[in-house]
Amino acid sequence: MTTTYDVINPATEQRVTTVDLFDEAATDAAIARSRRAFETWRQVAPGDRARLLRRFAEAVDADRERLAQLEVANSGHTIGNARWEAGNVRDVIAYYSATPERLIGQQIPVSGGIDVTFHEPLGVIGVIVPWNFPMPIASWGFAPALAAGNTVVMKPAELTPMTAMRLAELALDAGLPEDVFQVLPGKGSVVGQRFVDSPDVAKIVFTGSTDVGRQVLAGCAAQIKPVTLELGGKSANVVFADADIEQAAATAPSAVFDNAGQDCCARSRILVERTAYDEFMAAFETAVGRVVVADPADDKTEMGPLISAAHRDRVSSYVPDESLVAFRGTAPDGPGFWFPPTVLTPTDPRDRVLHEEIFGPVVAVVPFDDEAEAIRIANDSEFGLSGSIWTRDIGRAIRVSRGIESGNLSVNSHSSVRYWTPFGGFKASGLGRELGPDAPLAFTETKNVFFADN
Ligand code: NAD
């Protein structure tokens, strides 16, 4: 380990801690240990593996407040969100602790004997995590992978290593054998790239930007290495005139400004039927004005700062002086990477604020005239991750939800990620699915064995 990284609190700009970064040699050594641990972890009896994962979930539960406080300090997440995130990790591990005892194959009727399928673990899984939701996204990868009998090496984002490092300690405390779950803080170009290139890593789970996802996919292609990609989004919140406009407007801010808009599922385009546009905008302005942007450690805060100064510069570049700002919320002055909730009304359909992922608290509102136009605008994007549809007409809800090219839609709500249900993107938003009952199968190969009865 040759270099270090200073973790900065984005709400205060103060240094929180300094973390040692893994270099290539240390990464290779960790992968080799993971590979050795795999040989014993895969042999652990299903009931024992399940029990160890349940203990891991209990250890996370007992440590929830500490994990939440670490996330507030490291990532600027509001304390309310951070507590939910720690609870989500507990729930995801608990959900997949049921997997080892239920990884059931098939017995298929054939002539001359019996035929059985097995779900064999792959080996070492490399999980690469972004900075926007360090805890939940980590667990969506490592929990089903471990449950299916694999070992895991995980790289948190350089900016946000603290909760991941704590989760690795909790796994050991809970009794998971040494090297079954390792966390390697480091640079993407060093540790992440080694995961992709190493022949001893059997699969990559990557969540991050579409550009880096493309590189990861190309690297994996060279080795025919399987990969799951969870990438960017530019999701639409489609509001029809027959909807409960008051509720649609009151909930629209949290759908895009939660986590300061640093959410791959952010509904960063709001499409409103023209006949309801004025009513929606009036109610939306009131709702945006009420968003509490303040110290993330305060229970009442609804939105914290952006993750870094560089990211704030990037977000600001989408709101130059001449841009069509309809209205803005508030943000604190002084230290911290603050940016107020901002509502734009671009008139050119090619405007980059309608096509590029801003990943900040900036939303663009566009009117439409009918259902066909709403679907066309929603689909006018390289991405297809999430989205919402507001209408009281059930037939329309069915037609529009089937018409929008997106992996996760909600009608009359903004829910996206529920660990019981599959999550992932269409088009440039990704490849494969996480979560839901089938996630462990993505960490196995199906083996078919025929037993002759002669
Ligand atoms: P990023 O692509 O810059 O980094 C993601 C991770 O990849 C980091 O850990 C980084 O260190 C690592 N990395 C960088 N270069 C690498 C390389 N050459 N090889 C291997 N790993 C490398 O993304 P980010 O800025 O951390 O996160 C924001 C992005 O993540 C947004 O685009 C967002 O939409 C996306 N995201 C998607 C989902 C989803 O589920 N679809 C969820 C959260 C975030």
Side-chain angles (χ1 to χ4, degrees):
M1 299 189 207
T2 50
T3 51
T4 59
Y5 181 78
D6 287 339
V7 173
I8 304 296
N9 181 329
T12 62
E13 303 184 35
Q14 300 295 311
R15 190 181 67 86
V16 181
T17 188
T18 298
V19 171
D20 289 328
L21 300 183
F22 278 64
D23 61 14
E24 265 196 29
T27 304
D28 282 344
I31 293 170
R33 289 196 302 276
S34 190
R35 180 67 221 174
R36 281 196 296 278
F38 171 62
E39 296 308 329
T40 46
W41 179 242
R42 67 182 307 184
Q43 305 294 344
V44 172
D48 292 336
R49 209 184 312 137
R51 197 170 305 110
L52 285 167
L53 289 171
R54 283 197 295 274
R55 278 197 206 138
F56 186 9
E58 285 157 16
V60 171
D61 189 46
D63 205 62
R64 250 181 317 142
E65 188 58 26
R66 177 165 172 184
L67 285 165
Q69 296 292 350
L70 284 176
E71 206 63 280
V72 173
N74 188 164
S75 309
H77 288 198
T78 63
I79 182 65
N81 279 11
R83 287 188 180 123
W84 181 89
E85 290 159 16
N88 182 254
V89 175
R90 169 204 56 206
D91 293 343
V92 170
I93 301 170
Y95 181 70
Y96 291 112
S97 71
T99 295
E101 294 166 297
R102 292 170 179 78
L103 210 51
I104 296 164
Q106 290 178 302
Q107 180 267 307
I108 299 170
V110 290
S111 60
I114 58 172
D115 194 282
V116 180
T117 64
F118 298 90
H119 297 298
E120 303 285 13
L122 301 176
V124 178
I125 308 297
V127 180
I128 302 173
V129 182
W131 51 258
N132 63 326
F133 287 111
M135 274 194 277
I137 289 173
S139 69
W140 305 346
F142 74 69
L146 293 172
N150 304 278
T151 53
V152 170
V153 286
M154 187 170 91
K155 193 198 89 61
E158 205 173 341
L159 291 165
T160 56
M162 292 180 66
T163 47
M165 293 166 73
R166 180 67 190 142
L167 287 171
E169 290 170 7
L170 293 171
L172 279 180
D173 292 350
L176 261 76
E178 198 83 32
D179 300 328
V180 164
F181 174 48
Q182 298 179 73
V183 169
L184 286 60
K187 290 190 171 159
S189 56
V190 179
V191 178
Q193 193 65 47
R194 239 2 248 156
F195 289 1
V196 171
D197 293 338
S198 168
D200 286 329
V201 175
K203 175 173 180 166
I204 298 291
V205 179
F206 173 85
T207 306
S209 60
T210 296
D211 283 348
V212 178
R214 274 197 191 96
Q215 288 174 44
V216 168
L217 183 60
C220 288
Q223 297 179 51
I224 323 285
K225 183 180 292 195
V227 58
T228 299
L229 299 175
E230 298 286 4
L231 309 174
K234 191 75 197 175
S235 297
N237 176 6
V238 186
V239 182
F240 287 95
D242 70 58
D244 181 339
I245 298 297
E246 207 177 306
Q247 203 196 348
T251 56
S254 65
V256 58
F257 302 142
D258 189 57
N259 206 30
Q262 303 165 122
D263 181 344
C264 53
C265 292
R267 275 65 163 176
S268 53
R269 296 181 295 156
I270 305 180
L271 317 185
V272 187
E273 193 164 359
R274 202 178 297 275
T275 51
Y277 186 84
D278 291 344
E279 183 190 351
F280 176 87
M281 286 303 262
F284 187 41
E285 181 165 9
T286 306
V288 171
R290 287 197 184 127
V291 177
V292 182
V293 185
D295 176 4
D298 186 328
D299 273 321
K300 290 187 287 300
T301 296
E302 294 172 315
M303 193 183 113
L306 292 168
I307 188 69
S308 66
H311 188 56
R312 183 173 58 182
D313 288 347
R314 195 179 158 265
V315 171
S316 304
S317 77
Y318 286 92
V319 193
D321 292 341
E322 69 274 15
S323 52
L324 296 167
V325 177
F327 41 86
R328 301 186 99 148
T330 58
D333 296 326
F337 310 124
W338 303 99
F339 198 90
T342 301
V343 179
L344 306 177
T345 47
T347 49
D348 180 350
R350 287 159 307 171
D351 195 315
R352 69 185 192 120
V353 300
L354 289 171
H355 295 279
E356 296 175 21
E357 185 180 49
I358 300 174
F359 227 53
V362 180
V363 68
V365 189
V366 178
F368 66 85
D369 286 309
D370 58 24
E371 198 176 300
E373 191 183 22
I375 294 174
R376 186 187 57 70
I377 299 173
N379 288 341
D380 182 16
S381 172
E382 65 165 321
F383 300 114
L385 187 58
S386 188
S388 306
I389 299 152
W390 289 80
T391 177
R392 288 189 172 107
D393 177 337
I394 182 74
R396 168 173 281 162
I398 294 169
R399 289 189 301 274
V400 177
S401 59
R402 297 303 301 272
I404 293 183
E405 297 156 350
S406 169
N408 313 270
L409 292 164
S410 52
V411 176
N412 296 329
S413 89
H414 296 298
S415 97
S416 309
V417 190
R418 294 158 176 260
Y419 61 85
W420 309 272
T421 60
F423 174 70
F426 280 31
K427 304 194 279 188
S429 287
L431 214 55
R433 291 293 177 270
E434 295 188 292
L435 298 175
D438 298 333
L441 296 181
F443 296 100
T444 64
E445 286 280 17
T446 300
K447 180 185 284 176
N448 190 73
V449 183
F450 171 71
F451 297 86
D453 60 9
N454 51 23

